[in-house]
Amino acid sequence: MTNTNKKVLVTGGTGYIGSHTVVELINAGYETVIADNLSNSERFILDRIEQIAGVRPKFYEIDLCDKAKVEDLFNAESDIKAVIHFAAFKAVGESVKEPLKYFRNNNLSLINLLEVMNEKGVNNIVFSSSATVYGQPDVLPATEATPFQKALSAYGSTKQMGEEILEKVSSATIIKSIALRYFNPVGAHKSALIGELPVGVPNNLMPFVTQTGIGKREMLTIFGDDYSTPDGTCIRDYIHVVDLAKAHVKACERLIAEKAESNYEVFNLGTGKGTSVLEIVNAFEKVTGQKLNYKIGPRREGDVESLYAETKLANEKLGWKAELGLEEMLSSAWAWEVKLHEGTVEV
Ligand code: UFG
């Protein structure tokens, strides 16, 4: 049953993490409204959400950089209780080449949202941040108190700035906010009806692995095996996208129930476990039974050696813990890739 007292606006709700979150919100009884300009997602995802969750989210095809459109949306949806703001550009490499595109889109959309929320008296917002704010910490695991390092990309800058904006605005206005710092989101919904839809050659490891497994790419290149890690390859904290989605439901609940301990809170979202690139490759072969062609190449510029999360704060305060392991991450990512390959996803 949908509880109209629990209407949540999800920006970027047809995207990868957004769509999984909309499903979990509906499962938890929320009414969802999506705002997305479809710049990096597909309209059919709305059908898929409906297929999985049994409810079709209301959809506004708008660009959040257009403030008048944001105002129209809030006028039409007068009883929004919280906003989850996913909508943003996220390609690290592109952001290095076109920084202004990232500063304009990612920062302006957030500012417009916050201004309109203040005007309309909507005070709760959950923000998609990233573990990239930490750079390479001196001490691991990274806690929420680990200091930021200078961002190497405009994308990283927009996440650091987004947090700054929220912190300041939350101390001076009606806004209450939670920033969630994602580690490395991977995997897909168990139905294999929604998942990641990378455009062109994937930058991220998991879609490159599954595309190589299915034969779309000839070979995975492992970016460096001379790091100071046990097997020489980089270590990351991979987290299942469905676990990540559930954390957003918890964050919404916390804000709406006025349980937050301050006007601005931050939580790491990871498993707390580091996995190397080679371990991913080996686990992929084991879980899927699919051989993976790979070679060792040079390091990728800007990569940190090792990054994984301290998750105690999210465990204790949000009452959230990652439940799905590497096997579920890999098998669901693979099932989604197989469906894409079969052509059952009309992209
Ligand atoms: N990797 C490979 N080969 C590939 C792709 C990735 O070896 O073809 C390795 C990378 O070197 C890295 C690991 O796989 O060690 C994970 O790489 P991803 O690109 O999947 O993830 P990153 O940790 O680099 O990226 C994350 C987030 C971004 C964030 C970025 C900051 O996905 O949102 O960290 O650098 F901005």
Side-chain angles (χ1 to χ4, degrees), residues 100-133:
L100 282 171
K101 179 174 168 180
Y102 277 68
F103 290 129
R104 160 167 282 276
N105 185 66
N106 294 6
N107 293 346
L108 186 56
S109 59
L110 176 62
I111 291 167
N112 281 345
L113 260 180
L114 291 171
E115 283 181 351
V116 176
M117 287 172 69
N118 265 300
E119 282 166 27
K120 306 292 175 193
V122 177
N123 58 343
N124 298 317
I125 181 164
V126 179
F127 176 67
S128 297
S129 189
S130 165
T132 193
V133 298

Short mmCIF file of all heavy atoms in Angstrom, two decimals, residues 100-133:
data_model
loop_
_atom_site.label_atom_id
_atom_site.label_comp_id
_atom_site.label_asym_id
_atom_site.label_seq_id
_atom_site.Cartn_x
_atom_site.Cartn_y
_atom_site.Cartn_z
N LEU A 100 33.69 22.51 -17.19
CA LEU A 100 32.55 23.43 -17.02
C LEU A 100 31.22 22.72 -17.18
O LEU A 100 30.23 23.05 -16.50
CB LEU A 100 32.66 24.59 -18.02
CG LEU A 100 33.68 25.66 -17.62
CD1 LEU A 100 33.89 26.65 -18.76
CD2 LEU A 100 33.22 26.39 -16.36
N LYS A 101 31.18 21.74 -18.07
CA LYS A 101 29.95 20.95 -18.25
C LYS A 101 29.54 20.32 -16.92
O LYS A 101 28.37 20.28 -16.56
CB LYS A 101 30.24 19.87 -19.30
CG LYS A 101 29.12 18.94 -19.59
CD LYS A 101 29.46 18.01 -20.75
CE LYS A 101 28.43 16.90 -20.82
NZ LYS A 101 28.68 15.95 -21.90
N TYR A 102 30.55 19.84 -16.18
CA TYR A 102 30.28 19.19 -14.89
C TYR A 102 29.92 20.19 -13.80
O TYR A 102 29.00 19.98 -13.02
CB TYR A 102 31.47 18.30 -14.49
CG TYR A 102 31.37 16.97 -15.18
CD1 TYR A 102 31.52 16.89 -16.57
CD2 TYR A 102 31.02 15.81 -14.50
CE1 TYR A 102 31.35 15.69 -17.24
CE2 TYR A 102 30.85 14.61 -15.17
CZ TYR A 102 31.01 14.55 -16.53
OH TYR A 102 30.82 13.36 -17.18
N PHE A 103 30.67 21.31 -13.75
CA PHE A 103 30.37 22.32 -12.73
C PHE A 103 28.96 22.87 -12.94
O PHE A 103 28.18 23.01 -12.00
CB PHE A 103 31.41 23.44 -12.73
CG PHE A 103 32.76 22.98 -12.21
CD1 PHE A 103 33.92 23.21 -12.92
CD2 PHE A 103 32.85 22.29 -11.00
CE1 PHE A 103 35.15 22.77 -12.44
CE2 PHE A 103 34.08 21.85 -10.52
CZ PHE A 103 35.23 22.09 -11.24
N ARG A 104 28.63 23.17 -14.21
CA ARG A 104 27.30 23.73 -14.48
C ARG A 104 26.22 22.71 -14.11
O ARG A 104 25.32 23.00 -13.34
CB ARG A 104 27.18 24.11 -15.96
CG ARG A 104 25.75 24.23 -16.47
CD ARG A 104 25.65 24.91 -17.81
NE ARG A 104 25.77 26.34 -17.69
CZ ARG A 104 24.74 27.15 -17.38
NH1 ARG A 104 23.55 26.66 -17.16
NH2 ARG A 104 24.93 28.44 -17.30
N ASN A 105 26.31 21.53 -14.67
CA ASN A 105 25.22 20.57 -14.49
C ASN A 105 25.08 20.11 -13.04
O ASN A 105 24.00 20.18 -12.46
CB ASN A 105 25.45 19.36 -15.41
CG ASN A 105 24.29 18.39 -15.36
OD1 ASN A 105 23.19 18.71 -15.79
ND2 ASN A 105 24.52 17.20 -14.80
N ASN A 106 26.17 19.62 -12.47
CA ASN A 106 26.07 19.00 -11.14
C ASN A 106 25.81 20.02 -10.04
O ASN A 106 25.02 19.77 -9.13
CB ASN A 106 27.33 18.19 -10.83
CG ASN A 106 27.48 16.98 -11.75
OD1 ASN A 106 26.72 16.81 -12.70
ND2 ASN A 106 28.46 16.14 -11.50
N ASN A 107 26.44 21.19 -10.14
CA ASN A 107 26.25 22.17 -9.07
C ASN A 107 24.95 22.96 -9.24
O ASN A 107 24.24 23.20 -8.27
CB ASN A 107 27.45 23.14 -8.99
CG ASN A 107 28.72 22.43 -8.55
OD1 ASN A 107 28.68 21.31 -8.06
ND2 ASN A 107 29.85 23.07 -8.74
N LEU A 108 24.66 23.35 -10.49
CA LEU A 108 23.46 24.17 -10.70
C LEU A 108 22.19 23.37 -10.37
O LEU A 108 21.25 23.91 -9.78
CB LEU A 108 23.42 24.68 -12.15
CG LEU A 108 22.31 25.67 -12.48
CD1 LEU A 108 22.35 26.87 -11.54
CD2 LEU A 108 22.42 26.14 -13.93
N SER A 109 22.17 22.11 -10.74
CA SER A 109 20.98 21.30 -10.45
C SER A 109 20.76 21.22 -8.94
O SER A 109 19.63 21.34 -8.45
CB SER A 109 21.11 19.90 -11.05
OG SER A 109 22.25 19.25 -10.56
N LEU A 110 21.84 21.06 -8.19
CA LEU A 110 21.72 20.98 -6.73
C LEU A 110 21.24 22.33 -6.15
O LEU A 110 20.33 22.37 -5.31
CB LEU A 110 23.06 20.58 -6.10
CG LEU A 110 23.10 20.56 -4.57
CD1 LEU A 110 22.13 19.54 -4.00
CD2 LEU A 110 24.53 20.27 -4.07
N ILE A 111 21.82 23.41 -6.64
CA ILE A 111 21.44 24.74 -6.14
C ILE A 111 19.97 25.04 -6.46
O ILE A 111 19.21 25.49 -5.60
CB ILE A 111 22.39 25.82 -6.72
CG1 ILE A 111 23.78 25.65 -6.12
CG2 ILE A 111 21.85 27.23 -6.45
CD1 ILE A 111 24.88 26.42 -6.83
N ASN A 112 19.56 24.76 -7.69
CA ASN A 112 18.15 24.97 -8.06
C ASN A 112 17.22 24.18 -7.14
O ASN A 112 16.23 24.69 -6.63
CB ASN A 112 17.90 24.54 -9.51
CG ASN A 112 18.37 25.59 -10.50
OD1 ASN A 112 18.64 26.73 -10.12
ND2 ASN A 112 18.47 25.21 -11.76
N LEU A 113 17.56 22.92 -6.93
CA LEU A 113 16.72 22.07 -6.07
C LEU A 113 16.61 22.67 -4.67
O LEU A 113 15.51 22.78 -4.11
CB LEU A 113 17.37 20.70 -5.93
CG LEU A 113 16.86 19.53 -6.76
CD1 LEU A 113 17.66 18.29 -6.43
CD2 LEU A 113 15.37 19.29 -6.53
N LEU A 114 17.77 23.05 -4.11
CA LEU A 114 17.77 23.57 -2.74
C LEU A 114 16.99 24.89 -2.64
O LEU A 114 16.26 25.11 -1.67
CB LEU A 114 19.21 23.76 -2.24
CG LEU A 114 19.98 22.46 -2.02
CD1 LEU A 114 21.45 22.74 -1.75
CD2 LEU A 114 19.38 21.64 -0.87
N GLU A 115 17.13 25.74 -3.66
CA GLU A 115 16.37 27.00 -3.64
C GLU A 115 14.87 26.73 -3.68
O GLU A 115 14.11 27.30 -2.89
CB GLU A 115 16.78 27.89 -4.83
CG GLU A 115 18.12 28.57 -4.58
CD GLU A 115 18.56 29.49 -5.73
OE1 GLU A 115 17.92 29.47 -6.80
OE2 GLU A 115 19.56 30.19 -5.53
N VAL A 116 14.47 25.84 -4.57
CA VAL A 116 13.03 25.56 -4.70
C VAL A 116 12.52 24.83 -3.45
O VAL A 116 11.42 25.11 -2.96
CB VAL A 116 12.74 24.76 -5.99
CG1 VAL A 116 11.27 24.38 -6.08
CG2 VAL A 116 13.15 25.57 -7.22
N MET A 117 13.31 23.93 -2.90
CA MET A 117 12.90 23.24 -1.66
C MET A 117 12.66 24.27 -0.55
O MET A 117 11.68 24.19 0.18
CB MET A 117 13.96 22.22 -1.24
CG MET A 117 13.98 20.97 -2.12
SD MET A 117 15.39 19.90 -1.76
CE MET A 117 14.95 19.29 -0.14
N ASN A 118 13.57 25.23 -0.44
CA ASN A 118 13.40 26.29 0.56
C ASN A 118 12.13 27.10 0.31
O ASN A 118 11.37 27.38 1.23
CB ASN A 118 14.63 27.21 0.56
CG ASN A 118 15.63 26.79 1.63
OD1 ASN A 118 15.32 26.77 2.82
ND2 ASN A 118 16.82 26.42 1.21
N GLU A 119 11.90 27.45 -0.96
CA GLU A 119 10.69 28.23 -1.31
C GLU A 119 9.43 27.47 -0.96
O GLU A 119 8.45 28.04 -0.49
CB GLU A 119 10.65 28.50 -2.82
CG GLU A 119 11.55 29.62 -3.30
CD GLU A 119 11.71 29.57 -4.84
OE1 GLU A 119 10.80 29.06 -5.54
OE2 GLU A 119 12.76 30.03 -5.32
N LYS A 120 9.45 26.16 -1.20
CA LYS A 120 8.22 25.36 -1.06
C LYS A 120 8.11 24.67 0.30
O LYS A 120 7.16 23.92 0.55
CB LYS A 120 8.14 24.29 -2.17
CG LYS A 120 8.27 24.83 -3.57
CD LYS A 120 7.08 25.68 -3.97
CE LYS A 120 7.27 26.31 -5.34
NZ LYS A 120 6.28 27.37 -5.62
N GLY A 121 9.10 24.83 1.14
CA GLY A 121 9.02 24.24 2.47
C GLY A 121 9.27 22.74 2.51
O GLY A 121 8.79 22.05 3.41
N VAL A 122 10.01 22.23 1.52
CA VAL A 122 10.40 20.81 1.53
C VAL A 122 11.81 20.75 2.12
O VAL A 122 12.73 21.36 1.57
CB VAL A 122 10.39 20.22 0.11
CG1 VAL A 122 10.87 18.76 0.12
CG2 VAL A 122 9.00 20.33 -0.51
N ASN A 123 11.98 20.06 3.24
CA ASN A 123 13.26 20.26 3.92
C ASN A 123 14.24 19.08 3.90
O ASN A 123 15.38 19.24 4.33
CB ASN A 123 13.04 20.73 5.36
CG ASN A 123 12.20 19.77 6.16
OD1 ASN A 123 11.53 18.92 5.57
ND2 ASN A 123 12.24 19.88 7.47
N ASN A 124 13.85 17.93 3.39
CA ASN A 124 14.74 16.77 3.50
C ASN A 124 15.38 16.39 2.17
O ASN A 124 14.68 16.18 1.18
CB ASN A 124 13.95 15.55 4.01
CG ASN A 124 13.37 15.79 5.39
OD1 ASN A 124 14.05 16.33 6.27
ND2 ASN A 124 12.11 15.41 5.59
N ILE A 125 16.70 16.23 2.18
CA ILE A 125 17.38 15.82 0.93
C ILE A 125 18.51 14.82 1.22
O ILE A 125 19.28 14.99 2.17
CB ILE A 125 17.90 17.04 0.12
CG1 ILE A 125 18.58 16.57 -1.18
CG2 ILE A 125 18.82 17.93 0.95
CD1 ILE A 125 18.78 17.68 -2.21
N VAL A 126 18.54 13.79 0.39
CA VAL A 126 19.63 12.80 0.44
C VAL A 126 20.46 13.02 -0.82
O VAL A 126 19.91 13.10 -1.92
CB VAL A 126 19.05 11.36 0.45
CG1 VAL A 126 20.18 10.33 0.46
CG2 VAL A 126 18.12 11.15 1.64
N PHE A 127 21.76 13.13 -0.64
CA PHE A 127 22.65 13.49 -1.75
C PHE A 127 23.60 12.34 -2.08
O PHE A 127 24.20 11.73 -1.20
CB PHE A 127 23.46 14.74 -1.35
CG PHE A 127 24.50 15.16 -2.36
CD1 PHE A 127 24.13 15.65 -3.60
CD2 PHE A 127 25.85 15.10 -2.06
CE1 PHE A 127 25.08 16.06 -4.53
CE2 PHE A 127 26.82 15.51 -2.98
CZ PHE A 127 26.42 15.99 -4.22
N SER A 128 23.76 12.09 -3.39
CA SER A 128 24.71 11.07 -3.87
C SER A 128 26.12 11.63 -3.84
O SER A 128 26.50 12.38 -4.74
CB SER A 128 24.45 10.75 -5.33
OG SER A 128 23.22 10.18 -5.54
N SER A 129 26.88 11.24 -2.85
CA SER A 129 28.29 11.61 -2.87
C SER A 129 29.10 10.37 -3.22
O SER A 129 28.55 9.34 -3.61
CB SER A 129 28.71 12.23 -1.54
OG SER A 129 30.02 12.75 -1.66
N SER A 130 30.40 10.48 -3.10
CA SER A 130 31.26 9.41 -3.58
C SER A 130 32.49 9.28 -2.70
O SER A 130 33.00 10.28 -2.16
CB SER A 130 31.69 9.73 -5.01
OG SER A 130 32.78 8.92 -5.41
N ALA A 131 32.99 8.07 -2.61
CA ALA A 131 34.24 7.83 -1.87
C ALA A 131 35.41 8.52 -2.53
O ALA A 131 36.48 8.63 -1.94
CB ALA A 131 34.50 6.33 -1.78
N THR A 132 35.18 9.01 -3.75
CA THR A 132 36.25 9.73 -4.44
C THR A 132 36.67 10.99 -3.66
O THR A 132 37.78 11.48 -3.85
CB THR A 132 35.81 10.08 -5.89
OG1 THR A 132 36.96 10.50 -6.62
CG2 THR A 132 34.78 11.19 -5.93
N VAL A 133 35.80 11.49 -2.77
CA VAL A 133 36.16 12.68 -1.98
C VAL A 133 37.41 12.43 -1.12
O VAL A 133 38.11 13.35 -0.76
CB VAL A 133 35.00 13.18 -1.06
CG1 VAL A 133 33.79 13.59 -1.87
CG2 VAL A 133 34.63 12.15 0.00
#
